[in-house]
Amino acid sequence: MKANGAGLQVNHLRKTFRGGSVVACKDVNLEIEEGELLVMLGPSGCGKTTTLRCIAGLEHPDNDDAIWIHGRNMTRVPPKDRNLAFVFQETAMFPNLSVRRNISFGLDMRKQLPKAEISRRLEEAARMLRIETLLDRRPYELSGGQGQRVALGRAIVTEPNAFLLDEPLAALDAALRVEMRTEIKLIQRKLDTTMIFVTHDQEEALTVGDKIAVMKDGVVQQVDTPHNIYHRPANLFVGTFIGSPPINRFECTLQGSDGELRLVSPILDTHVPPQIAGRLHGASRSITLGIRPEFVQIAPDGGDLAGRVALIELMGSRTLILLDCAGQEVRVLVQGDPTVREGDRVSLALQLERAFYFEESGANLL
Ligand code: ADP
Ligand code: MG
């Protein structure tokens, strides 16, 4: 099944409620190529659902040129003429109808398709979603994961230009979420259709997306590959929001000149590697150094800072070591078992060439 893909564009989308006093979408810009799976990621209340609803036509954006599909301005086109499929966290099925009837309901109502075509689409979707044996059940006879599969089935049979999935896995338990997110990605590949997948879960975003758009306060902060979102965050917000355990932050001042630049904080005094010092030229004196726990090492001696092991947490194949460095908590992530014990005094080395250097505005300087 190859749906006619959609080039989707969100252009300076602004959406306010309550006479302009609630700004849900301040200035949202997105471009989704045909066949691409874009994950929209951000904390609760940042405007993800409102953005999706504007794309679907369920909300009226404040500006008249906000939503473009296939190069056409669709901002004021009614939802039914956009051919987009919306899947919500709550599946909202008809309790008295079988799964089969729930899936084909939209087709029976809207499209006046021949019976044979409806059957073909239903069977194909059921096979892809592995729900063939569930078609005669009622919704209450389904598990959470099966229910979400049926919800996807309902979307798939409409052969939409694009799928809009709003936190579709949020109600499922952890193990099932991990399984279903892989499945959704496989289905998207098979269908080769544009998909926007909304989540507030950064781990889910990193695993699912071809690209991730990170949102905050109604504004897209960065659109990039999962790799770049993780390793090259555009600003302090993205750097902090992505990654578990989160980055270590050190409020520092830059001292000295290009040739001999030092990072100084109450617990830290270290040289900036020369290849980075050159690129920090012109930086403000105060910066936030951000460094992921896997890029901090427990050093034999004479590292960049010293601390005491406060807590050790096993995380499967990795271990998280929490250190108390003169009152500041520093997280270190090591492969395998730890070589230190709680209470040990240790020295830490920072891989400064892997660190982030955020200026006072929050922008990443590198
Ligand atoms: P998210 O999906 O990222 O959690 P939403 O798009 O649902 O965020 O909401 C963004 C902001 O807009 C929130 O502050 C929310 O309270 C507000 N909002 C959303 N819909 C409405 C509405 N119909 N009326 C008033 N405020 C709304
Ligand atoms: Mg939402």
Side-chain angles (χ1 to χ4, degrees), residues 33-78:
E33 284 165 36
E34 299 193 11
E36 194 170 55
L37 199 176
L38 178 95
V39 170
M40 211 190 298
L41 170 71
S44 177
C46 74
K48 304 180 297 295
T49 294
T50 305
T51 302
L52 273 199
R53 288 176 59 82
C54 287
I55 294 172
L58 304 172
E59 298 283 1
H60 278 275
D62 294 8
N63 54 321
D64 274 326
D65 56 350
I67 308 298
W68 297 70
I69 302 173
H70 279 154
R72 272 189 60 204
N73 185 356
M74 304 293 271
T75 313
R76 299 294 181 239
V77 172

Short mmCIF file of all heavy atoms in Angstrom, two decimals, residues 33-78:
data_model
loop_
_atom_site.label_atom_id
_atom_site.label_comp_id
_atom_site.label_asym_id
_atom_site.label_seq_id
_atom_site.Cartn_x
_atom_site.Cartn_y
_atom_site.Cartn_z
N GLU A 33 9.22 16.06 5.15
CA GLU A 33 9.27 15.56 3.78
C GLU A 33 8.38 14.35 3.62
O GLU A 33 8.05 13.67 4.59
CB GLU A 33 10.72 15.20 3.42
CG GLU A 33 11.56 16.43 3.16
CD GLU A 33 13.04 16.10 3.16
OE1 GLU A 33 13.39 14.99 2.68
OE2 GLU A 33 13.82 16.93 3.64
N GLU A 34 8.05 14.06 2.38
CA GLU A 34 7.20 12.91 2.11
C GLU A 34 7.88 11.63 2.60
O GLU A 34 9.07 11.42 2.36
CB GLU A 34 6.91 12.80 0.61
CG GLU A 34 6.18 14.02 0.11
CD GLU A 34 5.59 13.83 -1.28
OE1 GLU A 34 5.57 12.69 -1.77
OE2 GLU A 34 5.15 14.83 -1.84
N GLY A 35 7.13 10.81 3.30
CA GLY A 35 7.66 9.54 3.77
C GLY A 35 8.52 9.66 5.02
O GLY A 35 9.08 8.67 5.48
N GLU A 36 8.61 10.86 5.58
CA GLU A 36 9.46 11.05 6.75
C GLU A 36 8.68 10.83 8.04
O GLU A 36 7.48 11.09 8.10
CB GLU A 36 9.98 12.49 6.72
CG GLU A 36 11.13 12.77 7.67
CD GLU A 36 11.75 14.13 7.41
OE1 GLU A 36 11.03 15.15 7.43
OE2 GLU A 36 12.96 14.18 7.20
N LEU A 37 9.39 10.33 9.05
CA LEU A 37 8.78 10.18 10.38
C LEU A 37 9.39 11.23 11.29
O LEU A 37 10.56 11.13 11.68
CB LEU A 37 9.05 8.77 10.92
CG LEU A 37 8.16 8.25 12.05
CD1 LEU A 37 8.52 6.80 12.37
CD2 LEU A 37 8.21 9.04 13.30
N LEU A 38 8.61 12.24 11.59
CA LEU A 38 9.08 13.31 12.45
C LEU A 38 8.50 13.13 13.84
O LEU A 38 7.29 12.94 14.00
CB LEU A 38 8.66 14.68 11.91
CG LEU A 38 9.09 15.84 12.81
CD1 LEU A 38 10.42 16.43 12.34
CD2 LEU A 38 8.04 16.92 12.89
N VAL A 39 9.35 13.18 14.85
CA VAL A 39 8.87 13.14 16.23
C VAL A 39 8.84 14.56 16.77
O VAL A 39 9.80 15.31 16.63
CB VAL A 39 9.77 12.26 17.11
CG1 VAL A 39 9.40 12.42 18.58
CG2 VAL A 39 9.66 10.81 16.71
N MET A 40 7.69 14.94 17.34
CA MET A 40 7.59 16.22 18.01
C MET A 40 7.72 15.95 19.51
O MET A 40 6.91 15.24 20.08
CB MET A 40 6.25 16.87 17.69
CG MET A 40 6.30 18.37 17.65
SD MET A 40 4.67 19.09 17.56
CE MET A 40 4.08 18.46 16.05
N LEU A 41 8.76 16.52 20.11
CA LEU A 41 9.09 16.23 21.51
C LEU A 41 9.10 17.51 22.32
O LEU A 41 9.64 18.52 21.87
CB LEU A 41 10.49 15.59 21.56
CG LEU A 41 11.13 15.43 22.93
CD1 LEU A 41 10.43 14.34 23.73
CD2 LEU A 41 12.61 15.09 22.79
N GLY A 42 8.52 17.45 23.50
CA GLY A 42 8.59 18.61 24.38
C GLY A 42 7.81 18.34 25.64
O GLY A 42 6.98 17.43 25.68
N PRO A 43 8.05 19.13 26.68
CA PRO A 43 7.34 18.92 27.95
C PRO A 43 5.86 19.19 27.81
O PRO A 43 5.43 19.85 26.85
CB PRO A 43 8.00 19.92 28.90
CG PRO A 43 8.62 20.95 28.02
CD PRO A 43 8.97 20.28 26.74
N SER A 44 5.10 18.71 28.75
CA SER A 44 3.66 18.91 28.77
C SER A 44 3.33 20.40 28.71
O SER A 44 3.96 21.21 29.39
CB SER A 44 3.11 18.28 30.04
OG SER A 44 1.74 18.52 30.12
N GLY A 45 2.38 20.76 27.87
CA GLY A 45 1.95 22.15 27.79
C GLY A 45 2.72 23.01 26.81
O GLY A 45 2.46 24.21 26.69
N CYS A 46 3.67 22.42 26.06
CA CYS A 46 4.50 23.24 25.17
C CYS A 46 3.85 23.51 23.82
O CYS A 46 4.38 24.24 23.00
CB CYS A 46 5.88 22.61 24.99
SG CYS A 46 5.89 21.16 23.92
N GLY A 47 2.68 22.89 23.57
CA GLY A 47 1.97 23.19 22.32
C GLY A 47 1.96 22.08 21.28
O GLY A 47 1.58 22.31 20.14
N LYS A 48 2.32 20.86 21.68
CA LYS A 48 2.39 19.76 20.71
C LYS A 48 1.01 19.41 20.16
O LYS A 48 0.81 19.34 18.94
CB LYS A 48 3.01 18.51 21.38
CG LYS A 48 4.39 18.74 21.98
CD LYS A 48 4.97 17.48 22.61
CE LYS A 48 4.19 16.93 23.78
NZ LYS A 48 4.13 17.82 24.97
N THR A 49 0.07 19.17 21.07
CA THR A 49 -1.27 18.78 20.64
C THR A 49 -1.92 19.89 19.81
O THR A 49 -2.54 19.62 18.78
CB THR A 49 -2.15 18.43 21.85
OG1 THR A 49 -1.61 17.26 22.48
CG2 THR A 49 -3.59 18.14 21.44
N THR A 50 -1.75 21.11 20.25
CA THR A 50 -2.34 22.23 19.50
C THR A 50 -1.77 22.30 18.09
O THR A 50 -2.49 22.53 17.13
CB THR A 50 -2.11 23.56 20.26
OG1 THR A 50 -2.61 23.42 21.59
CG2 THR A 50 -2.81 24.71 19.58
N THR A 51 -0.48 22.08 17.97
CA THR A 51 0.14 22.08 16.64
C THR A 51 -0.49 20.99 15.76
O THR A 51 -0.88 21.25 14.62
CB THR A 51 1.67 21.85 16.74
OG1 THR A 51 2.23 22.89 17.55
CG2 THR A 51 2.33 21.85 15.38
N LEU A 52 -0.61 19.77 16.31
CA LEU A 52 -1.22 18.67 15.54
C LEU A 52 -2.65 19.01 15.15
O LEU A 52 -3.09 18.74 14.03
CB LEU A 52 -1.22 17.38 16.35
CG LEU A 52 -0.01 16.46 16.33
CD1 LEU A 52 -0.40 15.07 16.79
CD2 LEU A 52 0.65 16.40 14.97
N ARG A 53 -3.39 19.57 16.09
CA ARG A 53 -4.80 19.90 15.82
C ARG A 53 -4.92 20.97 14.75
O ARG A 53 -5.85 20.95 13.95
CB ARG A 53 -5.51 20.32 17.12
CG ARG A 53 -5.75 19.13 18.07
CD ARG A 53 -6.36 19.57 19.40
NE ARG A 53 -7.62 20.26 19.25
CZ ARG A 53 -8.81 19.67 19.08
NH1 ARG A 53 -8.87 18.35 19.04
NH2 ARG A 53 -9.90 20.39 18.94
N CYS A 54 -3.98 21.89 14.72
CA CYS A 54 -3.98 22.90 13.65
C CYS A 54 -3.65 22.25 12.30
O CYS A 54 -4.25 22.59 11.29
CB CYS A 54 -2.96 24.00 13.96
SG CYS A 54 -3.48 25.12 15.28
N ILE A 55 -2.71 21.30 12.31
CA ILE A 55 -2.38 20.61 11.06
C ILE A 55 -3.60 19.84 10.55
O ILE A 55 -3.93 19.86 9.37
CB ILE A 55 -1.18 19.65 11.26
CG1 ILE A 55 0.09 20.45 11.58
CG2 ILE A 55 -0.96 18.78 10.03
CD1 ILE A 55 1.28 19.60 11.99
N ALA A 56 -4.29 19.19 11.49
CA ALA A 56 -5.46 18.39 11.11
C ALA A 56 -6.67 19.24 10.74
O ALA A 56 -7.60 18.75 10.12
CB ALA A 56 -5.82 17.45 12.26
N GLY A 57 -6.65 20.48 11.15
CA GLY A 57 -7.79 21.36 10.85
C GLY A 57 -8.82 21.39 11.96
O GLY A 57 -9.92 21.91 11.78
N LEU A 58 -8.48 20.85 13.12
CA LEU A 58 -9.41 20.84 14.26
C LEU A 58 -9.35 22.14 15.05
O LEU A 58 -10.19 22.41 15.89
CB LEU A 58 -9.11 19.65 15.17
CG LEU A 58 -9.14 18.29 14.47
CD1 LEU A 58 -8.64 17.19 15.40
CD2 LEU A 58 -10.53 17.96 13.95
N GLU A 59 -8.30 22.93 14.80
CA GLU A 59 -8.20 24.26 15.39
C GLU A 59 -7.89 25.25 14.27
O GLU A 59 -7.23 24.90 13.30
CB GLU A 59 -7.05 24.33 16.41
CG GLU A 59 -7.18 23.44 17.61
CD GLU A 59 -8.15 23.96 18.65
OE1 GLU A 59 -8.76 25.03 18.44
OE2 GLU A 59 -8.30 23.28 19.68
N HIS A 60 -8.34 26.47 14.46
CA HIS A 60 -8.04 27.54 13.50
C HIS A 60 -6.83 28.31 13.97
O HIS A 60 -6.89 29.00 14.98
CB HIS A 60 -9.22 28.50 13.40
CG HIS A 60 -10.29 28.02 12.50
ND1 HIS A 60 -10.27 28.23 11.14
CD2 HIS A 60 -11.42 27.33 12.75
CE1 HIS A 60 -11.33 27.69 10.60
NE2 HIS A 60 -12.05 27.12 11.55
N PRO A 61 -5.72 28.26 13.24
CA PRO A 61 -4.56 29.07 13.60
C PRO A 61 -4.90 30.56 13.53
O PRO A 61 -5.82 30.95 12.82
CB PRO A 61 -3.53 28.73 12.52
CG PRO A 61 -3.96 27.41 11.98
CD PRO A 61 -5.46 27.39 12.08
N ASP A 62 -4.16 31.37 14.27
CA ASP A 62 -4.37 32.82 14.22
C ASP A 62 -3.97 33.37 12.85
O ASP A 62 -4.61 34.29 12.34
CB ASP A 62 -3.54 33.54 15.31
CG ASP A 62 -4.02 33.17 16.72
OD1 ASP A 62 -4.86 32.26 16.85
OD2 ASP A 62 -3.54 33.80 17.68
N ASN A 63 -2.88 32.83 12.28
CA ASN A 63 -2.43 33.33 10.97
C ASN A 63 -2.98 32.46 9.83
O ASN A 63 -3.19 31.26 9.98
CB ASN A 63 -0.90 33.42 10.90
CG ASN A 63 -0.18 32.13 11.26
OD1 ASN A 63 -0.60 31.42 12.16
ND2 ASN A 63 0.86 31.81 10.54
N ASP A 64 -3.18 33.10 8.68
CA ASP A 64 -3.88 32.48 7.56
C ASP A 64 -3.00 31.62 6.66
O ASP A 64 -3.51 31.01 5.72
CB ASP A 64 -4.48 33.59 6.67
CG ASP A 64 -5.85 34.00 7.18
OD1 ASP A 64 -6.57 33.13 7.70
OD2 ASP A 64 -6.17 35.21 7.08
N ASP A 65 -1.70 31.60 6.95
CA ASP A 65 -0.79 30.88 6.04
C ASP A 65 0.06 29.88 6.83
O ASP A 65 1.23 29.69 6.57
CB ASP A 65 0.12 31.87 5.30
CG ASP A 65 0.91 32.75 6.26
OD1 ASP A 65 0.61 32.72 7.48
OD2 ASP A 65 1.83 33.44 5.80
N ALA A 66 -0.57 29.23 7.83
CA ALA A 66 0.20 28.42 8.78
C ALA A 66 0.44 26.99 8.30
O ALA A 66 1.47 26.39 8.61
CB ALA A 66 -0.52 28.40 10.13
N ILE A 67 -0.53 26.42 7.57
CA ILE A 67 -0.46 24.98 7.25
C ILE A 67 -0.44 24.76 5.74
O ILE A 67 -1.37 25.16 5.02
CB ILE A 67 -1.69 24.23 7.85
CG1 ILE A 67 -1.87 24.54 9.33
CG2 ILE A 67 -1.58 22.73 7.59
CD1 ILE A 67 -0.71 24.13 10.23
N TRP A 68 0.61 24.12 5.26
CA TRP A 68 0.76 23.84 3.83
C TRP A 68 0.93 22.34 3.63
O TRP A 68 1.72 21.69 4.30
CB TRP A 68 1.97 24.58 3.27
CG TRP A 68 1.84 26.07 3.35
CD1 TRP A 68 1.86 26.84 4.48
CD2 TRP A 68 1.65 26.98 2.25
NE1 TRP A 68 1.69 28.16 4.16
CE2 TRP A 68 1.56 28.28 2.80
CE3 TRP A 68 1.54 26.82 0.87
CZ2 TRP A 68 1.37 29.42 2.01
CZ3 TRP A 68 1.36 27.95 0.08
CH2 TRP A 68 1.27 29.23 0.64
N ILE A 69 0.16 21.80 2.69
CA ILE A 69 0.30 20.39 2.33
C ILE A 69 0.52 20.32 0.82
O ILE A 69 -0.25 20.92 0.06
CB ILE A 69 -0.95 19.57 2.73
CG1 ILE A 69 -1.22 19.69 4.24
CG2 ILE A 69 -0.77 18.10 2.34
CD1 ILE A 69 -2.52 19.07 4.71
N HIS A 70 1.58 19.62 0.44
CA HIS A 70 1.92 19.54 -0.99
C HIS A 70 2.00 20.92 -1.64
O HIS A 70 1.54 21.11 -2.76
CB HIS A 70 0.86 18.71 -1.76
CG HIS A 70 1.10 17.25 -1.62
ND1 HIS A 70 0.09 16.32 -1.74
CD2 HIS A 70 2.21 16.54 -1.37
CE1 HIS A 70 0.57 15.11 -1.55
NE2 HIS A 70 1.86 15.22 -1.34
N GLY A 71 2.54 21.87 -0.90
CA GLY A 71 2.71 23.20 -1.46
C GLY A 71 1.43 24.02 -1.56
O GLY A 71 1.44 25.11 -2.13
N ARG A 72 0.33 23.48 -1.02
CA ARG A 72 -0.94 24.22 -1.05
C ARG A 72 -1.27 24.74 0.33
O ARG A 72 -1.14 24.02 1.32
CB ARG A 72 -2.08 23.30 -1.52
CG ARG A 72 -2.27 23.24 -3.02
CD ARG A 72 -3.55 22.48 -3.33
NE ARG A 72 -4.74 23.11 -2.76
CZ ARG A 72 -5.88 22.46 -2.49
NH1 ARG A 72 -5.97 21.16 -2.70
NH2 ARG A 72 -6.91 23.10 -1.98
N ASN A 73 -1.73 25.96 0.39
CA ASN A 73 -2.13 26.54 1.67
C ASN A 73 -3.46 25.91 2.11
O ASN A 73 -4.50 26.14 1.50
CB ASN A 73 -2.27 28.06 1.52
CG ASN A 73 -2.58 28.72 2.86
OD1 ASN A 73 -2.77 28.04 3.88
ND2 ASN A 73 -2.62 30.03 2.87
N MET A 74 -3.41 25.12 3.17
CA MET A 74 -4.59 24.38 3.63
C MET A 74 -5.15 24.95 4.94
O MET A 74 -6.01 24.34 5.57
CB MET A 74 -4.24 22.90 3.85
CG MET A 74 -3.65 22.20 2.66
SD MET A 74 -4.84 22.03 1.32
CE MET A 74 -5.58 20.45 1.76
N THR A 75 -4.67 26.11 5.34
CA THR A 75 -4.97 26.63 6.67
C THR A 75 -6.47 26.74 6.94
O THR A 75 -6.93 26.53 8.05
CB THR A 75 -4.29 28.01 6.87
OG1 THR A 75 -2.93 27.91 6.45
CG2 THR A 75 -4.33 28.45 8.32
N ARG A 76 -7.24 27.09 5.93
CA ARG A 76 -8.68 27.25 6.15
C ARG A 76 -9.51 26.17 5.47
O ARG A 76 -10.73 26.30 5.31
CB ARG A 76 -9.12 28.64 5.63
CG ARG A 76 -8.44 29.81 6.35
CD ARG A 76 -8.85 29.90 7.82
NE ARG A 76 -8.23 31.04 8.51
CZ ARG A 76 -7.45 30.91 9.59
NH1 ARG A 76 -7.18 29.73 10.10
NH2 ARG A 76 -6.93 31.99 10.15
N VAL A 77 -8.84 25.07 5.08
CA VAL A 77 -9.54 23.95 4.44
C VAL A 77 -10.11 23.04 5.52
O VAL A 77 -9.43 22.75 6.49
CB VAL A 77 -8.57 23.17 3.51
CG1 VAL A 77 -9.21 21.90 2.98
CG2 VAL A 77 -8.11 24.07 2.37
N PRO A 78 -11.38 22.60 5.41
CA PRO A 78 -11.96 21.75 6.45
C PRO A 78 -11.20 20.43 6.62
O PRO A 78 -10.60 19.93 5.66
CB PRO A 78 -13.39 21.47 5.96
CG PRO A 78 -13.57 22.23 4.70
CD PRO A 78 -12.29 22.88 4.30
#
